[in-house]
Amino acid sequence: MSADEQRARAATPAGGRAEDVRADVAVIGLGTMGSMALWRIARLGEPSVVGVEQYGVAHSHGSFTGESRLFRTAYHEGTRYVPTLLRARELWHELEAESGRRLLLQVGTLSIGHESDTDLGNVLASVREFGLPHEVLRTADLRERYPQHAVGDGAMGVLDVYGGGLRPELSVLSAVEQAQAHGATVLANERVLSVEPGGGSVTVTTDRRVITAGRVVIAEGSWSRRLSSGLASTLVVQPLPLIWFMPHHLDRFVPERFPAFIRDEGGVHFFGAPSFDGYSVKVTPRRFHDPVADVADVPSVIDAERLRAIGVAAQRFLPDLNPEPVHWGVFHDAFTANHVPIVDIAADGAVLTLAGFSGHGFKLAPAIGEIAAEFATDRVSELIADDYAIAAHPRIAEG
């Protein structure tokens, strides 16, 4: 089936009974992890693979939306992730080459904090253990090199040369398109109701058909709790703000002069990216709302008083910003209690669950997709740690 025929099939209007499907592998959810899993499995040529998405391809409802995501290899979250990140970096470039699109803007990522900070300690450990290209900038160096940032005495920075900004929506679309070009079938606007292993296969029931597959990859993101009671007890949905401000001097914030960044100062955390749209800069705090049980409970607004407070704090870090947000949105992701992801192969070997990447999964996604491809061909990736299993995760405290 040609890529054009695949896209026509993906655009089949929702509603009504559709033809049942058989495939060697089914991927449920075509967002961050699912799109990459579909791409990496499809490019093997065999096994046959079908992807199911409850919305359209590269839709606006998922955790991946929001114009840009940071890519980092000098990692705040710990050195354990660096091998996965380095492999992901290779695969990001591979997806760029296949799609003909620039997806990873390697402008560097600047981590600013204090040497005593745990997160910055992890960044320094990452560059030392893996020999990552980087620069260490003391307070005077920071002020001279990156005057856009107002930093206090004793601040230091680490520039991750491999870091930069990813274009998430374009990346998801590119991965799905390349999967289709390699023969994957895509069923869009189709909601999965149940996943039932048994009898040597897995039955996936959607609101339109039954899919029978030898193996299934579940990559439902923030919707993962709905398909599994085990995930319901180990995940919460975390609302996340993304906010853009206009600088008074845009030329200071172009990618060539302003790396992506993460800042921690006095208990305040901000991260951001240079101007990708030609007029605004993403500068956003870590979170603004308590976790919720379901995507349906994610608030749709940030109240004006809180937006003003965020703007004042952002301008304190980056004085050239106009403190009134030019646009903003409330996004979400599924979090585990310890922020360790779930990469779990069920006991029968038929279902791989990818969930709970806790706000730092997009940069890892192509490597996680490769893990799914190994699973699809009866291999277990060496990148899967024991504590990635569902059973190894602490239960989320209720209330």
Side-chain angles (χ1 to χ4, degrees):
M1 185 181 292
S2 71
D4 288 342
E5 289 171 327
Q6 295 283 356
R7 293 189 185 98
R9 183 170 188 171
T12 301
R17 178 73 182 175
E19 181 182 354
D20 291 345
V21 172
R22 288 184 174 271
D24 294 320
V25 185
V27 178
I28 301 173
L30 298 180
T32 300
M33 300 303 167
S35 64
M36 300 297 165
L38 193 74
W39 169 50
R40 298 309 296 175
I41 294 169
R43 69 187 308 280
L44 296 173
E46 292 183 357
S48 61
V49 60
V50 56
V52 190
E53 171 53 57
Q54 65 176 323
Y55 297 107
V57 173
H59 58 80
S60 60
H61 308 281
S63 301
F64 61 85
T65 54
E67 183 201 62
S68 60
R69 288 291 183 275
L70 270 60
F71 183 80
R72 301 174 278 127
T73 56
Y75 216 48
H76 287 236
E77 292 79 1
T79 60
R80 63 183 297 183
Y81 298 103
V82 175
T84 309
L85 289 160
L86 291 173
R87 180 55 182 155
R89 178 175 176 268
E90 294 174 350
L91 295 175
W92 279 119
H93 290 316
E94 187 174 321
L95 183 56
E96 287 183 312
E98 282 196 21
S99 66
R101 292 169 175 151
R102 189 181 182 198
L103 306 175
L104 171 57
L105 282 69
Q106 195 170 306
V107 298
T109 297
L110 179 64
S111 295
I112 299 176
H114 293 265
E115 198 160 5
S116 59
D117 296 343
T118 300
D119 286 351
L120 204 58
N122 287 337
V123 168
L124 291 167
S126 295
V127 300
R128 290 166 182 159
E129 182 174 342
F130 293 93
L132 303 175
H134 70 285
E135 294 182 56
V136 175
L137 303 169
R138 298 295 172 179
T139 307
D141 302 321
L142 273 175
R143 290 170 176 167
E144 180 179 359
R145 178 88 163 270
Y146 298 112
Q148 302 93 327
H149 291 275
V151 298
D153 293 341
M156 67 173 295
V158 180
L159 180 66
D160 177 359
V161 175
Y162 280 166
L166 289 159
R167 296 189 180 277
E169 294 92 344
L170 190 59
S171 296
V172 168
L173 178 65
S174 297
V176 174
E177 286 180 343
Q178 292 310 305
Q180 290 175 304
H182 287 292
T185 296
V186 173
L187 306 175
N189 299 298
E190 193 159 333
R191 185 165 60 91
V192 171
L193 305 177
S194 65
V195 178
E196 299 176 7
S201 63
V202 185
T203 301
V204 178
T205 303
T206 79
D207 56 2
R208 299 201 59 208
R209 78 187 82 221
V210 172
I211 301 167
T212 304
R215 296 182 182 229
V216 169
V217 178
I218 298 177
E220 284 272 275
S222 294
W223 290 268
S224 297
R225 290 167 53 99
R226 298 182 180 181
L227 279 182
S228 167
S229 58
L231 293 178
S233 64
T234 55
L235 296 176
V236 294
V237 178
Q238 177 64 58
L240 300 167
L242 293 180
I243 305 172
W244 289 258
F245 299 87
M246 288 190 296
H248 295 292
H249 301 87
L250 180 64
D251 62 307
R252 300 175 186 174
F253 294 88
V254 295
E256 296 77 16
R257 297 182 63 185
F258 187 70
F261 72 90
I262 301 178
R263 288 197 57 175
D264 291 282
E265 185 92 30
V268 179
H269 174 96
F270 272 86
F271 67 92
S275 180
F276 287 168
D277 61 15
Y279 76 99
S280 70
V281 181
K282 179 190 280 186
V283 181
T284 194
R286 187 189 301 269
R287 62 184 69 177
F288 80 113
H289 194 283
D290 291 336
V292 296
D294 190 83
V295 179
D297 302 319
V298 173
S300 59
V301 298
I302 306 174
D303 66 76
E305 183 177 351
R306 184 162 293 180
L307 278 173
R308 281 194 294 272
I310 293 171
V312 168
Q315 189 186 46
R316 189 167 68 246
F317 279 7
L318 296 158
D320 196 63
L321 297 184
N322 178 33
E324 181 66 24
V326 65
H327 62 99
W328 53 268
V330 183
F331 300 81
H332 50 80
D333 200 2
F335 276 57
T336 60
N338 57 8
H339 295 186
V340 173
I342 291 171
V343 181
D344 180 274
I345 300 175
D348 63 3
V351 177
L352 171 66
T353 300
L354 308 173
F357 287 85
S358 305
H360 67 105
F362 195 88
K363 60 188 75 62
L364 298 162
I368 304 301
E370 190 166 67
I371 289 173
E374 293 185 65
F375 161 78
T377 53
D378 202 27
R379 293 175 293 152
V380 177
S381 171
E382 63 182 15
L383 296 176
I384 301 178
D386 290 344
D387 62 345
Y388 289 0
I390 295 173
H393 279 73
R395 298 175 71 88
I396 295 288
E398 296 184 4

